[in-house]
Amino acid sequence: MNRREIVVASIVHVLGARPNFVKAAPVIDALAARGAAQAVVHTGQHYDEKMSEIFFRELGLPEPDVNLGVGSGSHAQQTAALLLGLEEEFTSRSPELVIVYGDVNSTIAAALVAAKLHIPVAHVEAGLRSFDMTMPEEVNRRLTDQLSALCLVTSPEAIGHLAAEGIDPARAHLVGNPMIDTLLTNLGHFDTAAVRAAHHLPERYVLATLHRPANVDDPATAAALVTHLHGIADLADLVIPLHPRGRANLLAAGLDTHQGVHVLDPLGYIDFLAAVRGAAAVVTDSGGLQEETTILAVPCLTVRPNTERPITITHGTNRLVTLDDLVPETRKALEAERGENTRKPPLWDGHAGPRIAEVIMEFLGD
């Protein structure tokens, strides 16, 4: 565990995985502008340099006050380590509020520890639902919302989900999407040509990111996925920055044996979004990338039976696909004429951070 000297902060942010960092950056900035005393606890759930530290540098996040260094492991092992480390942090820092982000194990662990210590929790990205309880993320987000004093909502349908689960509407606040704040702030830095040159990529390519357990954990499923990815590579070059999860199974299934497949190590935020911006289409099972492609107007095919972000389908470019549909749907996306996306979901305007800060400071009485 790496820790700076303990300082008492009224607000503690708990960050564990790369999507958390992207969501937290505008919130931390907006609270700093209002003079809030803050501390950042990095759980180390994502510990690879390209999955973690580079995000802090690129997004201008303050150096974490502590890195718990929990690393990988089963859900039980990882969550147990998080509970122990976070209890020590919250006890020593005595915050007035803990802010958590998204739906990773760090999120539910922090909410659970804070609730047992009678510390209020604010959940950024509350109310999203896939209604698929086989997904660990769905379990995490549902329980976190039940434990949260403030449910900070990114899209209108999430308000209804919270109400249906008996959560007091006074706890829910539609504030917009801080992930989009970060994207719009950095839009001018997304240099697709530079990324293509650095990684020797072609002018036209499909970008893929795949890491969900349902897609990559079982070797047979991973092998079937690779067959379809090779089918995409027959249509256009396929660029795939490989997430540590699933890397072994996908490579063992021969992912990199097709001459049109470009396997990359994980990219930092700026390079990754630059690659996304320049893609002819995106294939993913990520949640956040469904939102980012909506704003960037890049056709997105999500290899999942459901999404907790249906607003990306109704307002954006996202479509759910099965493995069998993946190649023909990619062909359609490649053949379709691209247009500029002028319709954006409500409050995805680059100002979610200040709205979140206003709700939080009012809650704290400042």
Side-chain angles (χ1 to χ4, degrees):
M1 179 189 298
N2 297 320
R3 173 189 280 150
R4 288 194 272 162
E5 181 180 352
I6 291 290
V7 294
V8 175
S10 59
I11 298 169
V12 169
H13 303 262
V14 177
L15 313 179
R18 62 190 292 172
N20 295 168
F21 313 147
V22 180
K23 296 161 192 168
V27 179
I28 292 171
D29 282 350
L31 286 168
R34 299 188 64 141
Q38 306 178 78
V40 174
V41 173
H42 181 4
T43 67
Q45 182 176 332
H46 274 178
Y47 50 90
D48 180 273
E49 198 272 344
K50 287 292 179 67
M51 302 292 286
S52 176
E53 281 79 5
I54 192 171
F55 273 52
F56 279 83
R57 294 198 302 272
E58 291 186 343
L59 300 179
L61 285 163
E63 181 182 347
D65 292 82
V66 62
N67 187 329
L68 299 181
V70 299
S72 60
S74 71
H75 284 284
Q77 291 169 328
Q78 192 175 71
T79 305
L82 287 162
L83 292 172
L84 290 170
L86 290 168
E87 183 179 58
E88 180 181 348
E89 287 303 312
F90 296 168
T91 301
S92 61
R93 296 182 189 279
S94 301
E96 296 177 58
L97 181 72
V98 169
I99 305 180
V100 298
Y101 299 82
D103 52 26
V104 298
N105 286 341
S106 298
T107 302
I108 180 57
L112 185 59
V113 170
K116 286 180 175 290
L117 293 174
H118 308 293
I119 302 168
V121 175
H123 183 202
V124 174
E125 205 178 68
L128 297 185
R129 297 291 182 268
S130 68
F131 302 100
D132 181 357
M133 291 298 285
T134 67
M135 295 178 64
E137 297 88 351
E138 181 75 358
V139 176
N140 291 346
R141 63 176 74 101
R142 282 175 176 260
L143 295 179
T144 299
D145 285 340
Q146 290 293 331
L147 296 170
S148 296
L150 292 175
C151 292
L152 302 165
V153 173
T154 59
S155 56
E157 77 280 359
I159 296 285
H161 297 157
L162 294 171
E165 293 167 14
I167 292 174
D168 184 349
R171 289 159 54 190
H173 302 266
L174 179 61
V175 292
N177 192 336
M179 179 174 275
I180 303 307
D181 288 24
T182 300
L183 185 152
L184 295 175
T185 296
N186 289 282
L187 195 59
H189 301 301
F190 300 152
D191 188 342
T192 301
V195 171
R196 282 203 304 261
H199 297 282
H200 311 290
L201 304 179
E203 185 78 18
R204 190 168 186 259
Y205 58 86
V206 175
L207 184 135
T209 65
L210 297 152
H211 70 279
R212 296 279 175 185
N215 285 328
V216 303
D217 278 10
D218 176 65
T221 304
L225 175 59
V226 165
T227 297
H228 293 287
L229 293 176
H230 285 177
I232 292 174
D234 290 336
L235 303 174
D237 283 68
L238 181 74
V239 176
I240 179 164
L242 270 188
H243 192 285
R245 182 178 198 118
R247 183 183 184 92
N249 281 347
L250 292 173
L251 291 178
L255 175 64
D256 58 347
T257 60
H258 191 295
Q259 64 179 5
V261 173
H262 305 258
V263 174
L264 307 181
D265 289 332
L267 299 173
Y269 177 76
I270 299 296
D271 283 353
F272 179 70
L273 265 295
V276 169
R277 189 181 194 183
V282 163
V283 172
T284 190
D285 55 16
S286 162
L289 193 49
Q290 297 172 51
E291 297 176 337
E292 290 160 332
T293 52
T294 292
I295 299 302
L296 293 173
V298 177
C300 181
L301 303 173
T302 299
V303 189
R304 286 171 46 184
N306 50 57
T307 178
E308 65 283 352
R309 294 165 166 88
I311 200 166
T312 65
I313 295 174
T314 56
H315 281 76
T317 58
N318 187 27
R319 278 178 282 172
L320 299 179
V321 297
T322 65
L323 281 185
D324 289 339
D325 292 336
L326 185 52
V327 174
E329 289 296 328
T330 301
R331 181 183 289 109
K332 289 180 186 176
L334 292 173
E335 292 173 350
E337 185 174 343
R338 287 272 296 273
E340 183 181 355
N341 183 14
T342 57
R343 297 180 66 234
K344 294 180 175 62
L347 302 185
W348 290 23
D349 56 4
H351 301 291
R355 284 190 288 266
I356 290 170
E358 182 170 353
V359 171
I360 286 170
M361 297 304 281
E362 182 177 342
F363 177 82
L364 293 175
D366 294 329

